[in-house]
Amino acid sequence: MTRPSHQSDPYIAAKNLTIEFELSGGRKLVAVDDVSFEINRGEILGIVGESGSGKTILAKSILQLVPPPGKIEQGSILIDGVDILQYSDEEMRKRVRGTEVSMIFQEPLSALNPSFSVGWQIEEVFKLHREHDRNTRRQMAVELLRKVSIPDPERRIKEYPHQFSGGMQQRVLIAIALACDPKLLIADEPTTALDVTVQADIMDLLQKMREETGLAILLISHNLNLVAERSDQIMVLYASQLMEMGPSARIAEHPLHPYTLGLMDSVPDIEVEDQKITAIPGEMPDLTLTRGGCVFQPRCKKAMEVCEHVAPELIEVEPRHVCRCHLFSSEYSGVTSGGR
Ligand code: SF4
């Protein structure tokens, strides 16, 4: 299999990750199928794909939080060269979760505890990972709220989650996630529940954080346009497989995979009037069934005969831009590059 060109000294490098769920009757669901990626310090990798494509499970595997009966069957996740998949749960708690890698979710209100003030919730993170007295913890929490642009943090720190708007709740969650200076932030659909203006504010905040601190970000979204605008690299997942990955600007201007093209056509662009939005016909395949050919074949407008019975491999079509499609294989199509 052709892999993406190796980048220099990535902060995190996941190699050949495969995650399976053992189901009743001996059946297996492959949730992530042999996926590799790298993220440098200060870089944003956007992962896009429909619900059920494997985006969230892939992200959770970095924290070893794949829910049972899911299991990481194969692969490694190197952080600064150390394979964290070899860590015990206790080592993950002490060395990785919250301190190296943090995660924020799409529904801020359900991720916050309604019974405690936001200050208490931020200070709990310091209690777990740092040895500061109460006054210092409170000062640090106020500074964190200021850092994520919550006005009047000395007053607001005493308030409860329901007293904050959706955008402000998400800022509180970002503050909690950044409390122990992680190097990587996983943002799982961080703006889905917010209106468009607030979405832009939250994305501006994340970009400011990465510029100021060198934070690497794994941004998960079903919105390819948002990811193309805000990420350095894009990974497109479909039915647990990596379909296309490369520099965002390149994928936005010259997408290769028919699925990426379909995603682009199915997301409305608020700046374009009278645009035609076309949903991708059909549904994702049953991930418990053994596959023969290309997993996207039943929905693909460009499918060829070979696609039905030969699974395509990842091909590096241009530097750092890979695609899993027979259209780019000289063996099956005679074409070595292409696009819309
Ligand atoms: Fe479509 Fe064939 Fe490419 Fe799969 S391999 S995406 S079916 S053209």
Side-chain angles (χ1 to χ4, degrees):
M1 179 184 292
T2 311
R3 294 278 172 212
S5 304
H6 200 77
Q7 296 173 30
S8 57
D9 190 27
Y11 166 65
I12 181 165
K15 290 187 185 147
N16 308 108
L17 267 184
T18 296
I19 303 169
E20 293 181 353
F21 284 72
E22 192 116 9
L23 306 178
S24 57
R27 290 178 312 140
K28 274 189 181 163
L29 182 151
V30 182
V32 173
D33 190 354
D34 196 23
V35 170
S36 300
F37 65 87
E38 294 179 348
I39 315 178
N40 293 330
R41 286 173 180 77
E43 187 177 62
I44 302 181
L45 168 66
I47 304 187
V48 282
E50 291 163 274
S51 299
S53 56
K55 310 184 295 286
T56 298
I57 291 292
L58 177 61
K60 285 187 171 173
S61 71
I62 298 173
L63 291 164
Q64 284 196 41
L65 291 177
V66 174
K71 204 169 153 213
I72 301 172
E73 279 298 328
Q74 178 196 298
S76 59
I77 299 179
L78 305 182
I79 285 189
D80 281 335
V82 177
D83 185 2
I84 60 166
L85 291 187
Q86 303 307 318
Y87 282 171
S88 66
D89 198 51
E90 196 185 340
E91 285 173 313
M92 285 299 292
R93 251 199 327 271
K94 283 191 181 153
R95 297 187 187 184
V96 180
R97 293 180 200 137
T99 48
E100 281 289 334
V101 184
S102 273
M103 187 161 180
I104 54 171
F105 301 90
Q106 64 175 281
E107 290 288 351
L109 194 53
S110 57
L112 289 165
N113 189 326
S115 312
F116 295 98
S117 70
V118 300
W120 187 92
Q121 297 186 55
I122 298 172
E123 286 175 47
E124 275 304 287
V125 184
F126 292 134
K127 264 198 226 168
L128 270 178
H129 297 288
R130 302 278 189 264
E131 290 171 8
H132 297 300
D133 62 43
R134 205 169 161 218
N135 282 344
T136 310
R137 285 202 302 267
R138 176 53 49 130
Q139 275 169 15
M140 288 168 72
V142 167
E143 281 319 305
L144 259 179
L145 288 189
R146 205 186 311 280
K147 199 166 152 187
V148 297
S149 306
I150 291 187
D152 197 5
E154 289 86 354
R155 178 177 63 82
R156 301 225 67 184
I157 200 152
K158 297 173 195 142
E159 294 184 346
Y160 289 78
H162 73 271
Q163 295 173 281
F164 288 70
S165 66
M168 287 294 159
Q169 287 165 0
Q170 193 55 287
R171 283 173 193 270
V172 170
L173 274 189
I174 293 171
I176 291 173
L178 298 182
C180 292
D181 300 318
K183 315 289 185 312
L184 172 69
L185 177 70
I186 300 171
D188 189 359
E189 305 269 12
T191 61
T192 302
L194 306 173
D195 69 44
V196 176
T197 323
V198 182
Q199 281 183 9
D201 290 345
I202 294 294
M203 290 312 305
D204 287 347
L205 173 65
L206 292 179
Q207 276 185 307
K208 183 177 130 207
M209 293 299 151
R210 70 99 169 243
E211 277 152 27
E212 286 179 358
T213 64
L215 182 71
I217 299 176
L218 184 66
L219 173 64
I220 299 174
S221 178
H222 61 276
N223 184 335
L224 182 53
N225 292 341
L226 175 110
V227 166
E229 206 178 292
R230 300 292 187 161
S231 308
D232 302 291
Q233 288 188 80
I234 295 176
M235 176 198 294
V236 180
L237 280 185
Y238 179 76
S240 79
Q241 294 185 352
L242 195 165
M243 292 289 147
E244 180 167 5
M245 182 159 67
S248 302
R250 192 63 188 138
I251 289 186
E253 141 200 329
H254 189 60
L256 299 176
H257 199 282
Y259 179 58
T260 314
L261 292 165
L263 281 181
M264 278 184 167
D265 290 341
S266 62
V267 180
D269 185 338
I270 52 169
E271 288 176 7
V272 178
E273 282 183 29
D274 298 328
Q275 62 187 304
K276 196 167 161 244
I277 298 165
T278 320
I280 304 171
E283 289 175 1
M284 201 137 38
D286 182 345
L287 300 182
T288 61
L289 299 179
T290 315
R291 300 140 185 188
C294 170
V295 286
F296 190 56
Q297 181 268 340
R299 304 173 75 183
C300 182
K301 287 187 206 158
K302 298 187 176 180
M304 305 172 284
E305 205 189 328
V306 62
C307 306
E308 207 174 327
H309 50 89
V310 179
E313 296 208 333
L314 271 185
I315 297 166
E316 187 158 32
V317 179
E318 53 187 6
R320 298 185 55 224
H321 190 174
V322 294
C323 181
R324 186 187 298 279
C325 175
H326 290 313
L327 289 172
F328 303 94
S329 145
S330 49
E331 189 179 347
Y332 294 113
S333 71
V335 177
T336 53
S337 68
R340 270 186 123 107

